[in-house]
Amino acid sequence: MNKIQYSVAELAERFALQFSGDGARIIDGVGTLAGAGPSQLSFLSNSKYAGQLANTRAGVVVLHQDTLESCPTAALVARDPYVAYAHIAALFERLPAAPPGIHSSAVVAPGARVSPTASIGPCCVIEEGAVIEDGAMLGPHCIVGPDCVVGAQSRLVARVTLVTRVTLGKRVLAHPGAVIGSDGFGLAFDRDHWVKLPQLGGVRIGDDCEIGANTTIDRGALDDTVLEEDVRLDNQIQIAHNVHIGAHTAMAGCAAVAGSAKIGRYCMIGGNAGVLGHLEVADRVTITAKSLVTHSIREAGEYSSGVPLQENRQWRRNAARFKHLDEYTRRLSALEKDKNND
Amino acid sequence: MNKIQYSVAELAERFALQFSGDGARIIDGVGTLAGAGPSQLSFLSNSKYAGQLANTRAGVVVLHQDTLESCPTAALVARDPYVAYAHIAALFERLPAAPPGIHSSAVVAPGARVSPTASIGPCCVIEEGAVIEDGAMLGPHCIVGPDCVVGAQSRLVARVTLVTRVTLGKRVLAHPGAVIGSDGFGLAFDRDHWVKLPQLGGVRIGDDCEIGANTTIDRGALDDTVLEEDVRLDNQIQIAHNVHIGAHTAMAGCAAVAGSAKIGRYCMIGGNAGVLGHLEVADRVTITAKSLVTHSIREAGEYSSGVPLQENRQWRRNAARFKHLDEYTRRLSALEKDKNND
Amino acid sequence: MNKIQYSVAELAERFALQFSGDGARIIDGVGTLAGAGPSQLSFLSNSKYAGQLANTRAGVVVLHQDTLESCPTAALVARDPYVAYAHIAALFERLPAAPPGIHSSAVVAPGARVSPTASIGPCCVIEEGAVIEDGAMLGPHCIVGPDCVVGAQSRLVARVTLVTRVTLGKRVLAHPGAVIGSDGFGLAFDRDHWVKLPQLGGVRIGDDCEIGANTTIDRGALDDTVLEEDVRLDNQIQIAHNVHIGAHTAMAGCAAVAGSAKIGRYCMIGGNAGVLGHLEVADRVTITAKSLVTHSIREAGEYSSGVPLQENRQWRRNAARFKHLDEYTRRLSALEKDKNND
């Protein structure tokens, strides 16, 4: 494999950044401030790591104007060093080769339509009525069910399952084990047993969304489950049927959203947070990790539930008291009343 | 594909319902009250949507006698409109074709027994001693391990793994990514390292159970892990070894049950709720979302834990106080004692 | 299949245990105290089950010297009966046959290196630069991505995915649906949309680790995600990028660790517990189920968060009061001040 390499001056020009120091220095990779060597690029974005700048051995550092003076090596100056680093680092990523065409072990139904520029990996199964658009890449073991569409330049890394009536926009990235379009959990209780409600809707995923490993997104009961564009889901997230998630919302690992909840744009949902069904969350709401949203949130802001971690014996004492908190507050009020009657 | 269609009168007769309005009207699908068109059937069950009835464009509405008068179109009158709708809607579901026989890409061990009326999809692997009974449907990429049984009319949608010694009853429905019969998490600590306990039991799943996408059910250490009939598990649920779940119990997404817990019949376990191991939960117990069951529950009823969501700054103040709750209650008691000594 | 059988005397000799009773008795399996028959071995470790000893029909019981007198049958005496049982029971486990060689349906890249003593099951995909070492066993549908290494005697039960730059040590055991080496969740916010950070690191898993069903372990952004030796992960655990887990730590189902957290050795993390990112947990820390670790823990010990389960109506009253806990404590302080001013 050829080495990927750029001079510092080339990087500055390509990303429209100022540079200081040796523009001719050749960069062939990226690393942390503490770990990068002379042919690697690093970055300083989080002030927590500022102390590492003075001793870095990196060939060049992407940083903000404010820290330029302390930089012992070449620098690329960016308004937002983290964003600039994200763009530059992408140059050094080697994606697995994905030659156009259909692997001989893949099973493609006669009624499926696969673009000649798409790449279909080993053991993929593409079913009737499915469409794979230009430049889409399906790694090994992906299943694209009936009437599903994989948009142009989308990438199913490996072992992604689209069950039925799922439409992915352009440049969607889905990680291994993701299941999109599985049955919503719809049941009616008939005297003494459950009756299943057929799940007749689909799933629509907007452009530039990312779906984490082993994340599940159910299809709608009647209407569709919807993710607008640029929604970012981490691993092991559960999205129930008929959920609607606004553009640019990001959710951390193990979060879950119950049926028919509507989450706004630019929200941040913390790890293992939950949102109950049939409620609405406004735009630009942040939910901290492990919190449970039990009612609609009408205003932007940060919301939390839970109690803090403590050493177990202390915690036990406090937790036991919680069971009588209502009684304590009544006793408090009684004392106050007595006081006022004195 | 042929259209699926029924007249309103045909539906009334088939499901033993009264109808009012135009019995000859042809119905070819279902939809929401707000979205259904003149050839679609809708339903009114949740009173929250009653306001939509007057303006519905649906061809026919399944509803309760009480709301019949307000219905602007044909109606099918049901004691429980949601249950009746569930049955009717199933008529309009198109399941993927599953022709009897074994796909040429599937790998079936010589000692496996597959009914000639079963359908085995692409890339399935059926191992030694496995049995696939009449009319069972295995979608693509299912793995049926040694000595597993898939009961008649059961359906493994796609990419379901039965590891070993798993028996599914009749009409079991398992969704993609489900893993049934994986090793229980059994470890003994030997001075300075872990020793694994072999997991020699199996899993028994009763008739009419449903297992959600990416749900995991471990096999027993010695005895079996058991789900009685009509147990309904949503996505990403974790059932540990030797758990026993009673008939007709339903669990919402991301719930988890630890080893050897015994859950009763007709229970409802909320999303991301947890049940600790080696305890018992009575019949007809409801656990609300994200609650943790830490002791046996002997009586039917609804149980909860957790604290409510608040705006983050308010929450922080309250949460900080929780760490001293025991101290506050002692101070409260001291004040009361002083008062009584006055 | 041949029966696996040993006499009681043979077991005593093989595991260097004392025995009492009939050493010639033949044992061909294991069972619970309550369920084992005369040709089966059982054990007594948890004093909760001591009452079952008197009536056991087991052929031999592994137990501690202290309970030997109450044993009605042959006994094997062990310092730690649970550990001794774990070792003995392994004799009676039948693992699926895994003949050396590559199944005809597997797809192995020309640049992959597979030991002739390894077993590669049906529909496995081994990509460029991957290495499968001696005696490794890959069940059906495993994917070993570019530049991944599966160490000697490791076992991927079925449908395990190693995405890229993943190195498994020796004797690693990974269960179905596990995804190791997926992209870390790294995003930079650029004015109005997300920019993805390439995830250029890998994952290193030490010898004797166990990875549960549908567990996900992301690869590092720059450095690697690391599990030291003998780390035991149950099902549906989420390990984010650049996490470091010390040797012999065990985590129960549905636990999750956020990016760059460092967990010590010999820790026990309870079911559905969470650890936030960029913090450290000392050696020999226990976190109880569903707790959230929000700050570094410097000392060994047991830590908890959460509030206890209650009947829902009681719980509602207490939970409502929690929202005003700060106010109550202020009112309490005010009363105390008044009192002191009396």
Side-chain angles (χ1 to χ4, degrees):
Chain A
M1 249 189 310
N2 293 329
K3 264 211 152 161
I4 300 167
Q5 48 184 40
Y6 298 87
S7 71
V8 167
E10 282 174 314
L11 292 173
E13 193 186 339
R14 180 185 277 247
F15 294 100
L17 303 171
Q18 301 275 0
F19 77 92
S20 77
D22 178 12
R25 183 183 285 267
I26 295 301
I27 299 300
D28 61 13
V30 297
T32 59
L33 273 183
S39 70
Q40 290 181 302
L41 172 144
S42 191
F43 70 104
L44 174 59
S45 157
N46 186 335
S47 57
K48 221 167 90 174
Y49 297 101
Q52 297 183 358
L53 185 60
N55 298 314
T56 190
R57 294 173 51 249
V60 62
V61 178
V62 184
L63 44 62
H64 191 269
Q65 183 69 42
D66 296 348
T67 51
L68 179 58
E69 225 162 79
S70 329
C71 184
T73 182
L76 288 157
V77 180
R79 188 185 50 81
D80 184 332
Y82 197 49
V83 169
Y85 166 75
H87 287 296
I88 297 171
L91 293 179
F92 297 98
E93 186 172 24
R94 288 183 195 276
L95 291 175
I102 299 171
H103 192 274
S104 60
S105 63
V107 177
V108 179
R113 187 161 62 74
V114 178
S115 160
T117 62
S119 174
I120 310 297
C123 303
C124 283
V125 176
I126 317 283
E127 303 197 81
E128 286 299 331
V131 176
I132 313 294
E133 296 189 340
D134 294 350
M137 291 181 283
L138 278 64
H141 285 218
C142 292
I143 299 172
V144 180
D147 304 320
C148 292
V149 177
V150 178
Q153 314 303 330
S154 286
R155 185 166 161 246
L156 312 186
V157 172
R159 191 157 62 84
V160 169
T161 301
L162 311 186
V163 181
T164 190
R165 294 187 292 277
V166 175
T167 298
L168 306 185
K170 297 186 204 316
R171 298 173 303 278
V172 169
L173 174 59
H175 295 289
V179 177
I180 310 178
S182 36
D183 279 22
F185 194 59
L187 297 166
F189 193 72
D190 188 8
R191 291 188 193 86
D192 59 359
H193 68 282
W194 294 104
V195 179
K196 182 176 174 65
L197 283 116
Q199 301 292 305
L200 303 165
V203 178
R204 282 180 286 133
I205 309 271
D207 295 345
D208 299 301
C209 286
E210 185 169 356
I211 313 295
N214 283 352
T215 280
T216 50
I217 303 177
D218 282 348
R219 67 181 190 272
L222 287 167
D223 296 334
D224 291 342
T225 303
V226 177
L227 274 65
E228 295 179 1
E229 72 271 17
D230 194 31
V231 170
R232 306 288 177 149
L233 302 186
D234 196 356
N235 297 347
Q236 298 203 36
I237 285 173
Q238 151 71 358
I239 305 294
H241 52 180
N242 298 105
V243 165
H244 187 114
I245 304 183
H248 315 294
T249 283
M251 299 179 57
C254 307
V257 184
S260 301
K262 187 166 191 304
I263 295 182
R265 294 157 59 96
Y266 294 110
C267 291
M268 311 267 279
I269 311 291
N272 198 208
V275 179
L276 293 190
H278 296 275
L279 53 75
E280 297 197 16
V281 173
D283 293 351
R284 298 183 191 276
V285 164
T286 295
I287 306 293
T288 58
K290 240 184 175 60
S291 298
L292 179 64
V293 179
T294 51
H295 53 79
S296 288
I297 298 178
R298 306 294 181 193
E299 287 191 35
E302 189 176 3
Y303 298 83
S304 302
S305 65
V307 302
L309 192 82
Q310 290 188 279
E311 188 278 325
N312 180 267
R313 269 175 317 171
Q314 291 180 300
W315 170 80
R316 272 176 192 279
R317 281 195 290 263
N318 295 321
R321 297 298 191 180
F322 179 85
K323 295 178 78 166
H324 306 281
L325 188 53
D326 182 53
E327 176 208 321
Y328 297 137
T329 56
R330 288 172 194 280
R331 283 162 48 189
L332 177 65
S333 296
L335 279 179
E336 289 173 326
K337 206 174 158 193
D338 282 352
K339 164 81 192 150
N340 294 336
N341 292 345
D342 276 357
Chain B
M1 251 188 308
N2 293 328
K3 265 211 151 160
I4 300 167
Q5 47 185 40
Y6 298 85
S7 72
V8 167
E10 282 175 314
L11 292 174
E13 192 186 341
R14 180 184 277 247
F15 295 99
L17 303 171
Q18 301 276 0
F19 76 91
S20 77
D22 177 11
R25 182 182 287 267
I26 296 303
I27 299 300
D28 62 11
V30 297
T32 59
L33 274 183
S39 70
Q40 290 181 302
L41 172 145
S42 191
F43 69 103
L44 174 58
S45 157
N46 186 335
S47 58
K48 221 168 92 174
Y49 296 101
Q52 296 183 0
L53 184 60
N55 298 314
T56 190
R57 293 173 51 249
V60 62
V61 179
V62 184
L63 43 63
H64 192 269
Q65 182 71 40
D66 296 350
T67 50
L68 178 59
E69 224 163 79
S70 329
C71 185
T73 182
L76 288 157
V77 179
R79 189 185 51 80
D80 184 332
Y82 197 49
V83 169
Y85 166 76
H87 288 296
I88 298 172
L91 293 180
F92 297 99
E93 188 173 21
R94 287 181 194 276
L95 292 174
I102 298 172
H103 191 275
S104 60
S105 63
V107 177
V108 180
R113 187 161 61 74
V114 177
S115 159
T117 62
S119 174
I120 309 297
C123 303
C124 283
V125 176
I126 317 282
E127 302 198 81
E128 285 298 332
V131 176
I132 313 294
E133 297 188 339
D134 294 350
M137 293 181 282
L138 279 65
H141 285 218
C142 291
I143 299 172
V144 181
D147 304 320
C148 292
V149 177
V150 178
Q153 314 302 331
S154 285
R155 184 164 162 245
L156 312 186
V157 172
R159 192 155 64 81
V160 169
T161 300
L162 311 186
V163 181
T164 190
R165 295 188 292 277
V166 175
T167 298
L168 306 185
K170 297 186 204 317
R171 297 172 305 276
V172 169
L173 174 58
H175 295 288
V179 177
I180 309 178
S182 36
D183 279 22
F185 194 59
L187 298 166
F189 193 73
D190 188 8
R191 290 188 193 85
D192 59 358
H193 68 283
W194 294 105
V195 180
K196 182 176 174 65
L197 283 116
Q199 301 293 305
L200 303 166
V203 178
R204 282 179 286 134
I205 308 272
D207 295 344
D208 299 302
C209 286
E210 183 169 357
I211 313 295
N214 284 351
T215 280
T216 50
I217 303 177
D218 282 349
R219 66 182 191 272
L222 286 168
D223 296 332
D224 292 341
T225 303
V226 177
L227 274 64
E228 296 179 1
E229 73 270 17
D230 194 29
V231 169
R232 306 288 177 150
L233 302 186
D234 195 357
N235 296 346
Q236 298 203 37
I237 285 172
Q238 152 70 358
I239 306 294
H241 53 179
N242 298 106
V243 165
H244 187 114
I245 304 182
H248 315 293
T249 283
M251 299 180 57
C254 306
V257 184
S260 300
K262 187 165 191 304
I263 296 182
R265 294 158 59 96
Y266 294 109
C267 291
M268 311 266 279
I269 311 291
N272 198 208
V275 179
L276 293 190
H278 296 275
L279 54 76
E280 296 197 17
V281 174
D283 293 351
R284 298 184 190 275
V285 165
T286 294
I287 306 294
T288 58
K290 242 186 173 59
S291 298
L292 179 64
V293 180
T294 52
H295 53 78
S296 288
I297 298 178
R298 307 293 182 193
E299 287 191 36
E302 188 176 4
Y303 298 84
S304 303
S305 66
V307 302
L309 191 83
Q310 290 188 278
E311 188 279 324
N312 180 266
R313 269 176 317 172
Q314 291 179 300
W315 169 80
R316 272 177 192 278
R317 280 195 292 262
N318 294 321
R321 297 297 191 180
F322 178 86
K323 296 178 78 166
H324 307 282
L325 188 54
D326 183 54
E327 176 207 321
Y328 297 136
T329 57
R330 288 173 194 280
R331 282 163 48 189
L332 177 65
S333 297
L335 280 181
E336 289 172 327
K337 206 174 158 193
D338 282 353
K339 162 81 192 150
N340 294 337
N341 293 346
D342 276 357
Chain C
M1 246 186 312
N2 292 328
K3 265 212 150 161
I4 300 168
Q5 47 184 39
Y6 299 87
S7 71
V8 167
E10 282 175 313
L11 293 174
E13 193 186 342
R14 181 185 278 247
F15 295 101
L17 302 171
Q18 302 274 0
F19 77 91
S20 76
D22 177 11
R25 183 182 286 267
I26 296 302
I27 299 299
D28 62 10
V30 298
T32 59
L33 273 183
S39 69
Q40 290 181 300
L41 172 144
S42 191
F43 69 103
L44 173 59
S45 157
N46 186 335
S47 57
K48 222 169 91 176
Y49 296 101
Q52 297 182 0
L53 185 59
N55 298 314
T56 190
R57 294 172 53 247
V60 62
V61 179
V62 185
L63 43 62
H64 192 267
Q65 182 70 42
D66 295 350
T67 50
L68 178 58
E69 224 163 81
S70 330
C71 185
T73 182
L76 288 157
V77 179
R79 189 184 50 79
D80 184 331
Y82 197 49
V83 169
Y85 166 76
H87 287 296
I88 298 172
L91 293 180
F92 297 99
E93 187 173 23
R94 288 183 194 277
L95 291 174
I102 298 171
H103 191 275
S104 60
S105 63
V107 177
V108 179
R113 187 159 63 75
V114 178
S115 160
T117 62
S119 174
I120 309 297
C123 303
C124 283
V125 176
I126 317 282
E127 303 197 81
E128 285 299 332
V131 176
I132 314 293
E133 297 188 340
D134 294 351
M137 292 181 281
L138 278 64
H141 285 217
C142 291
I143 300 172
V144 181
D147 304 320
C148 293
V149 178
V150 179
Q153 313 302 330
S154 285
R155 183 164 163 246
L156 312 186
V157 173
R159 191 156 64 82
V160 170
T161 301
L162 311 185
V163 181
T164 190
R165 294 188 292 278
V166 175
T167 298
L168 306 185
K170 297 186 205 315
R171 298 173 304 277
V172 169
L173 174 58
H175 295 288
V179 177
I180 310 178
S182 37
D183 279 23
F185 194 59
L187 297 166
F189 193 72
D190 189 7
R191 291 186 192 87
D192 58 0
H193 67 283
W194 293 105
V195 179
K196 181 175 175 65
L197 282 117
Q199 300 293 305
L200 302 165
V203 179
R204 281 179 288 133
I205 309 272
D207 295 345
D208 300 301
C209 287
E210 183 168 356
I211 313 295
N214 284 352
T215 280
T216 50
I217 303 177
D218 282 348
R219 67 181 190 271
L222 288 167
D223 295 333
D224 291 341
T225 303
V226 177
L227 273 65
E228 295 178 2
E229 73 271 15
D230 194 30
V231 169
R232 306 287 177 149
L233 302 187
D234 194 357
N235 297 347
Q236 299 204 36
I237 285 173
Q238 151 70 359
I239 305 294
H241 53 180
N242 298 105
V243 166
H244 187 114
I245 303 182
H248 315 293
T249 283
M251 300 179 56
C254 307
V257 184
S260 300
K262 187 165 191 305
I263 295 181
R265 293 157 60 96
Y266 293 110
C267 292
M268 311 267 278
I269 311 291
N272 198 208
V275 179
L276 293 190
H278 296 274
L279 53 75
E280 296 196 16
V281 174
D283 293 351
R284 297 182 192 276
V285 165
T286 295
I287 305 294
T288 58
K290 240 184 174 62
S291 298
L292 179 64
V293 179
T294 52
H295 53 79
S296 288
I297 298 178
R298 306 292 181 195
E299 288 192 34
E302 188 175 4
Y303 297 83
S304 302
S305 65
V307 302
L309 192 83
Q310 290 188 278
E311 188 278 325
N312 180 266
R313 268 174 319 171
Q314 291 180 301
W315 170 80
R316 273 177 191 279
R317 281 195 290 262
N318 295 321
R321 297 297 192 181
F322 179 85
K323 296 178 76 166
H324 307 283
L325 187 54
D326 183 53
E327 177 207 321
Y328 298 137
T329 57
R330 288 174 193 279
R331 283 162 48 188
L332 176 66
S333 297
L335 279 180
E336 288 173 327
K337 207 174 158 194
D338 282 352
K339 163 83 193 150
N340 294 338
N341 292 346
D342 274 358

